Amino acid sequence: MPTTSTPPGHQPARGPFAHALAGLLDVLLPARCAGCGTDRGQLCPDCRQALATALPSPSAALPWVHAAAPYADPVRRLLLAHKERGALRLAGPLGDALARSVRAALGPDPGRSPLLLVPVPSARAAVRARGHDATLRLADAAARSLRRTGLDARAVPLLRHARPVADQTGLSAAQRRHNLHGALAVRPGAHRRSAGCRPVLVDDLVTTGASLAEAARALAGAGLPPRAAATVAAAVPHRPHRPHRPHRSTRGRHGDGNGAAPPPPGR
């Protein structure tokens, strides 16, 4: 995970107690918007609208993966606040965005079999440090959103880590694939829990696609090939450097000269 500044109104939460305390303070104390920092609640109307109106599209890394929005502010800040800082009330709107990605990935005919949203698992140490399983929480929220629209869906953690992996930060796409190959496996009883359902892989973010590709390999190897894959956000490919032209502004929205967001977490 890259080093990021803490949005106003949020302190890093580590461990179950700190996570529970952060959630309690989030309810009791006025909060600034996790997406833009304005003093209009944890999710201001503008950021809520930006998240709700984002149009899902295939990711650049893996065309079979649909993402609701680019990994740029305010979506980037909302994901980090939920995942790393215990802003649990963001799970609902982020889950709605993930649900729209699932629908886009399934296409116009989603079929009639129940959907099984399978989250890409985080390392157990990361889950312990955060005090919650952020991806599973988003999958649960997305399943509830899909059920409200008439689709039979539920979230089930069918995958687990079969071996330790190195930190993905700073690794190339090829290095990430090598690092993750064979790292995931299905949990005992996966076939029983998924009987009659169509697995759909879900995650908060797709960067190079290495995690989702490994998750798809593990499911397919166990005879449970995923029907589709969906995420809340997709990393925007870095644009090649271009010489400065006086008549065109090169100042990016987020201050890096090309409009790209800071490097995303290792997914």
Side-chain angles (χ1 to χ4, degrees):
M1 180 71 68
T3 301
T4 56
S5 60
T6 302
H10 292 280
Q11 295 298 322
R14 292 292 182 267
F17 176 76
H19 168 69
L21 178 60
L24 179 61
L25 292 175
D26 178 44
V27 173
L28 296 178
L29 300 179
R32 292 183 180 273
C33 175
C36 64
T38 58
D39 192 11
R40 292 192 290 170
Q42 191 174 62
L43 182 59
C44 75
D46 291 343
C47 290
R48 184 181 294 274
Q49 179 72 2
L51 185 62
T53 57
L55 298 177
S57 61
S59 73
L62 293 174
W64 52 274
V65 179
H66 277 65
Y71 187 68
D73 292 341
V75 174
R76 179 186 71 89
R77 290 169 61 100
L78 294 174
L79 282 172
L80 289 175
H82 171 261
K83 187 173 187 175
E84 303 293 346
R85 301 177 184 99
L88 302 187
R89 286 188 290 175
L90 296 177
L94 289 170
D96 289 342
L98 180 57
R100 293 196 305 275
S101 292
V102 170
R103 278 190 169 276
L106 291 173
D109 183 15
R112 296 186 177 182
S113 300
L115 296 178
L116 201 66
L117 304 190
V118 182
V120 175
S122 298
R124 282 177 290 182
V127 173
R128 285 195 301 269
R130 293 174 184 137
H132 73 130
D133 190 330
T135 310
L136 178 57
R137 188 180 298 276
L138 290 182
D140 281 330
R144 289 193 297 271
S145 181
L146 290 168
R147 289 196 296 270
R148 287 195 297 268
T149 63
L151 284 181
D152 186 357
R154 58 192 174 97
V156 179
L158 293 184
L159 295 170
R160 62 177 177 85
H161 279 266
R163 62 169 177 81
V165 297
D167 185 356
Q168 299 263 84
T169 304
L171 298 184
S172 67
Q175 289 170 329
R176 292 185 184 200
R177 288 194 296 270
H178 178 75
N179 183 44
L180 290 174
H181 183 70
L184 299 181
V186 298
R187 294 176 180 272
H191 287 84
R192 173 180 52 80
R193 302 179 72 183
S194 60
C197 298
R198 295 165 296 156
V200 176
L201 282 168
V202 295
D203 206 350
D204 58 347
L205 171 68
V206 56
T207 306
T208 65
S211 295
L212 283 162
E214 169 59 17
R217 181 210 62 78
L219 286 178
L224 301 169
R227 166 79 183 273
T231 67
V232 176
V236 180
H238 289 289
R239 301 173 188 172
H241 174 73
R242 295 178 181 177
H244 174 69
R245 296 180 182 179
H247 65 282
R248 295 181 63 185
S249 171
T250 60
R251 184 175 181 180
R253 182 177 177 183
H254 306 295
D256 66 353
N258 64 5
R267 282 294 205 180

